[in-house]
């Protein structure tokens, strides 16, 4: 008790001092200033960096993309009211990285489906284009490597991924991920050989006919499991023979039954053609 009283007495003595106010102010200012200096340079540099990145992206965009997507990515309508190129507000850097990174964009000419082509931009340029599009409106950003890298030697991830794949993807991409036809001349491409990053981005951004599997629908972990499953499948050697396009167990089973039916039918037909069966015909002399 006595001690606290002593300390407070001393404190109040100092408080009364002429320099107490300015000293406290100085300490407070130094602390805030120090904290600001310690915390801000990284983000300040980043803004400077990303401003020039966006400017670079915009320059590339005006040359290669604006003719279809508009100068500010707002989209262009044709006279008949069709989309020449859709608005890119909110599609995010991930969509750009996927579309340009797989060579789909810049589209050669508006058609029914943008196809994979030779990639015409360097990864640096793609990143700049992505930064520009992301600056139009917030959208999904390019995933980090540890989010999409396949874990092919984790059997649990692979089997979970297989389940997610069968529920969400086989309807269009088929059981083996080898792709399939869709109405109106469109198709879901084969997933064999697609890079892990592009697999993740396709799910995240849902190109064309494909639904968007946002991180709320399929968590980043679920997506990574699907990638692990697909990559594990690619590693698994094919044991030869007629794969039937791996269309699935029911269809393959039907094929086996049909083959069996043909074999049995042929057997019956052959036996009905023998001399013995002819002998029993009516009117024949024994
Ligand atoms: C000849 C016209 C044309 C050009 C040039 C073009 N695009 Fe496209 N773009 C389209 C059309 C049409 C679509 C919609 C169909 C599709 O998704 O394939 C599209 C779709 C996209 C999408 C997907 C949008 C979404 O909703 O996910 C992105 C991203 C994109 N373009 C970026 C670009 C970038 C970046 C460039 C320049 C490097 C570019 N495009 C050049 C016509 C074009
Ligand atoms: C409703 C049908 C449909 C479903 C369901 C679907 N996709 Fe797709 N997917 C498509 C179509 C159509 C394309 C082609 C889009 C394009 O070319 O722009 C595509 C493209 C892709 C691509 C790009 C391949 C390439 O060659 O670059 C990947 C990767 C992909 N899908 C993965 C998946 C995964 C993984 C799932 C399940 C989580 C899935 N898709 C579910 C229709 C579908």
């Amino acid at each position: 008790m006595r001690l606290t009283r002593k300390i407070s007495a001393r404190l109040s003595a100092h408080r009364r001092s002429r320099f107490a106010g300015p000293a406290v102010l100085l300490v407070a200012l130094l602390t805030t200033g120090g904290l600001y200096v310690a915390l801000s340079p990284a983000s300040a540099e980043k803004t400077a960096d990303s401003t020039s990145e966006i400017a670079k992206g915009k320059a590339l965009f005006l040359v290669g993309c604006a003719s279809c997507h508009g100068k500010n990515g707002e989209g262009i309508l044709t006279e008949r009211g069709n989309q020449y190129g859709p608005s890119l507000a909110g599609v995010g850097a991930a969509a750009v990285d996927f579309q340009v990174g797989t060579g789909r964009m810049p589209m050669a000419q508006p058609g029914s489906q943008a196809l994979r082509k030779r990639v015409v931009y360097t990864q640096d340029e793609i990143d700049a284009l992505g930064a520009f599009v992301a600056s139009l409106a917030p959208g999904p950003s390019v995933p980090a490597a540890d989010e999409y890298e396949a874990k092919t030697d984790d059997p649990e991830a692979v089997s979970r991924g297989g389940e997610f794949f069968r529920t969400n993807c086989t309807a269009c991409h088929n059981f083996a991920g080898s792709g399939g036809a869709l109405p109106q001349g469109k198709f879901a491409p084969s997933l064999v050989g697609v890079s892990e990053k592009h697999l993740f981005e396709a799910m995240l951004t849902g190109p064309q006919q494909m639904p968007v599997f946002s991180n709320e629908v399929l968590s980043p972990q679920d997506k990574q499991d699907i990638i692990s499953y697909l990559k594990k499948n690619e590693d698994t050697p094919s044991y030869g023979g007629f794969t039937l396009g791996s269309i699935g167990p029911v269809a393959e089973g039907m094929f086996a039954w049909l083959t069996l039916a043909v074999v049995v039918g042929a057997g019956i037909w052959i036996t009905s053609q023998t001399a013995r069966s002819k002998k029993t015909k009516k009117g024949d002399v024994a």
Side-chain angles (χ1 to χ4, degrees):
M1 246 354 247
R2 190 151 355 119
L3 187 70
T4 39
R5 214 178 296 145
K6 221 188 221 166
I7 290 175
S8 66
R10 186 176 281 192
L11 273 178
S12 50
H14 277 282
R15 212 183 288 147
R16 256 177 261 127
S17 143
R18 253 189 313 145
F19 301 110
V24 168
L25 199 61
L26 194 67
V27 167
L29 281 176
L30 282 177
T31 321
T32 355
L35 277 175
Y36 184 78
V37 168
L39 296 177
S40 65
S43 51
E45 255 168 43
K46 211 171 168 192
T47 0
D49 261 9
S50 56
T51 329
S52 64
E53 177 104 332
I54 291 170
K56 183 182 163 197
K58 176 152 194 178
L60 290 167
F61 193 87
L62 289 177
V63 176
C65 325
S67 58
C68 294
H69 289 289
K71 286 199 180 91
N72 295 304
E74 71 277 19
I76 295 181
L77 284 178
T78 61
E79 278 180 3
R80 278 183 290 157
N82 295 327
Q83 284 282 2
Y84 208 55
S87 161
L88 298 182
V91 302
V96 174
D97 197 61
F98 172 79
Q99 297 282 350
V100 184
T102 60
R104 285 179 165 80
M105 293 291 143
M107 214 167 164
Q109 64 199 62
S112 70
Q113 185 162 341
L115 300 175
R116 240 175 199 281
K117 295 190 300 293
R118 196 174 53 82
V119 181
V120 291
Y121 291 92
T122 66
Q123 188 60 49
D124 269 0
E125 291 170 331
I126 297 175
D127 292 345
L129 283 166
F132 169 65
V133 168
S135 76
L136 302 172
S141 51
V142 177
D146 60 346
E147 282 185 277
Y148 57 71
E149 262 164 15
K151 293 185 180 145
T152 40
D153 19 284
D154 177 354
E156 220 167 276
V158 170
S159 81
R160 258 168 45 89
E163 264 166 48
F164 286 129
F165 185 79
R166 282 186 289 276
T167 12
N168 294 296
C169 322
T170 46
C172 298
H173 288 283
N174 135 345
F175 285 89
S178 53
L182 294 173
Q184 284 158 16
K186 312 215 167 187
F187 66 97
S190 162
L191 303 183
V192 178
V194 178
S195 80
E196 290 148 297
K197 182 171 74 163
H198 292 146
L199 279 166
F200 195 106
E201 289 169 346
M203 290 187 255
L204 194 60
T205 63
Q208 295 177 82
Q209 249 57 34
M210 179 164 154
V212 175
F213 295 92
S214 67
N215 284 344
E216 286 74 46
V217 177
L218 274 181
S219 74
Q221 179 68 58
D222 301 343
K223 291 189 175 77
Q224 192 175 31
D225 289 348
I226 290 180
I227 295 169
S228 302
Y229 166 76
L230 288 170
K231 288 296 160 194
K232 180 77 186 174
N233 268 3
E234 279 179 25
D235 292 349
T236 311
S238 163
Y239 292 106
F242 185 31
T243 62
L244 297 172
S246 305
I247 39 185
V250 174
E252 283 167 17
M254 281 303 291
F255 189 78
W257 280 110
L258 279 176
T259 318
L260 211 60
V262 169
V263 170
V264 170
I268 292 173
W269 181 77
I270 288 169
T271 47
S272 73
Q273 299 305 306
T274 56
R276 218 162 173 234
S277 56
K278 282 203 182 110
K279 260 196 290 185
T280 54
K281 269 194 194 153
K282 247 191 202 154
D284 272 0
V285 192

